[in-house]
Amino acid sequence: MNAKKILLVEDEKAIRDMIGFSLRRAGFTIVEAENCRDGRAALVDARPDLAIVDWMLPDQSGLEFTRQLKREAEYRDLPVIMLTARAEEGDKVAGLEGGADDYITKPFSPRELVARIQAVLRRAPETQPPGAPSTEQQIVEFGEFSLNLAARSLSRAGKPVALTTGEFALLKVLVQHGLDGICKGIRNHRDQVLNSPHTLVHFLVEASLFTSLAHSLFPSVLNPNHRTFKRQR
């Protein structure tokens, strides 16, 4: 099996060296960049399987860099782990809603980083092999809606519906696994959710995304000012 290739965008050399050493020991191939410009070039040359991006970079914020990647068809499925010293809940939510697949605060242990990378890679979509279903075969229709999994777009009665990265990801999970599957996963990991602040933040973000997604799908059913359901008579 070929080693997974990790792009590391980090401007502090000491941290870059520490992470690179730990990940190479874990069997990964590492491509390093000290700013977003070099990171962009490495994306083209190296074709990494995952990117680790520091929030504070000299030429552009890692958050904006991640947002740009997620807006591009070529890189929107590239898993991104945000690395930062910003530990406030609001920063974590901003990072996750900005497209990051995980969020790690400094200081951190190399073992935790390796475990997070492996977990994110397990969730990442596989590269389509030759003969994979075409875009047309990856369209899921439900009610008035048509969800194009390949193009990452949604339409209702032929009209496009704007979704954030998080809303699309949640809708995709709902379409593929159903609400029962999500609830079962929450029940099975109840102790982990309650005992891990990081995991709890993930679930809180997902909970807020349910409301956000519902508002995008059915704006007439929700109060646009408070995003609460109108009482049905």
Side-chain angles (χ1 to χ4, degrees):
M1 176 184 288
N2 294 330
K4 293 291 187 180
K5 190 177 296 183
I6 308 296
L7 170 62
L8 173 60
V9 187
E10 166 62 64
D11 61 320
E12 295 188 38
K13 187 177 186 305
I15 297 178
R16 204 166 61 241
D17 290 345
M18 182 270 290
I19 294 176
F21 175 77
S22 300
L23 297 188
R24 290 186 182 95
R25 285 191 62 185
F28 295 105
T29 298
I30 307 302
V31 179
E32 298 181 9
E34 61 182 23
N35 54 51
C36 294
R37 182 188 61 189
D38 293 346
R40 173 69 70 170
L43 285 171
V44 176
D45 296 336
R47 310 298 300 178
D49 298 291
L50 179 144
I52 300 173
V53 181
D54 186 37
W55 186 306
M56 301 296 292
L57 292 167
D59 55 345
Q60 183 184 21
S61 78
L63 178 60
E64 183 55 35
F65 180 65
T66 299
R67 285 173 174 160
Q68 291 177 355
L69 294 182
K70 296 298 183 177
R71 288 195 291 264
E72 299 177 22
E74 188 173 3
Y75 301 117
R76 60 171 52 129
D77 290 327
L78 175 70
V80 176
I81 296 179
M82 187 73 66
L83 187 66
T84 178
R86 305 167 73 112
E88 295 296 324
E89 181 178 315
D91 293 326
K92 294 180 181 180
V93 172
L96 294 170
E97 291 186 336
D101 297 88
D102 203 348
Y103 187 105
I104 302 179
T105 56
K106 305 173 185 177
F108 57 88
S109 72
R111 289 183 60 189
E112 178 189 8
L113 178 59
V114 170
R116 295 284 186 85
I117 291 173
Q118 291 171 338
V120 170
L121 286 174
R122 284 195 297 269
R123 300 196 301 265
E126 295 289 338
T127 302
Q128 288 189 11
S134 65
T135 298
E136 290 76 13
Q137 292 172 305
Q138 296 185 41
I139 295 177
V140 180
E141 296 185 349
F142 52 101
E144 297 180 297
F145 295 96
S146 178
L147 180 67
N148 191 320
L149 299 178
R152 299 176 66 87
S153 63
L154 177 71
S155 62
R156 181 180 187 182
K159 298 181 180 180
V161 177
L163 296 178
T164 67
T165 300
E167 289 171 354
F168 180 88
L170 177 59
L171 181 59
K172 181 179 178 180
V173 171
L174 285 169
V175 167
Q176 294 179 330
H177 303 286
L179 186 59
D180 288 343
I182 294 177
C183 293
K184 181 179 179 181
I186 294 175
R187 289 195 300 270
N188 291 343
H189 297 84
R190 177 179 177 276
D191 291 339
Q192 181 184 0
V193 172
L194 294 177
N195 295 324
S196 170
H198 179 86
T199 307
L200 181 57
V201 167
H202 272 282
F203 277 100
L204 289 174
V205 170
E206 290 176 0
S208 67
L209 282 175
F210 272 106
T211 301
S212 178
L213 176 60
H215 184 271
S216 296
L217 297 181
F218 306 104
S220 62
V221 181
L222 291 168
N223 183 320
N225 296 321
H226 304 288
R227 293 198 169 191
T228 57
F229 283 101
K230 296 178 180 178
R231 180 168 305 195
Q232 301 296 321
R233 295 185 182 275

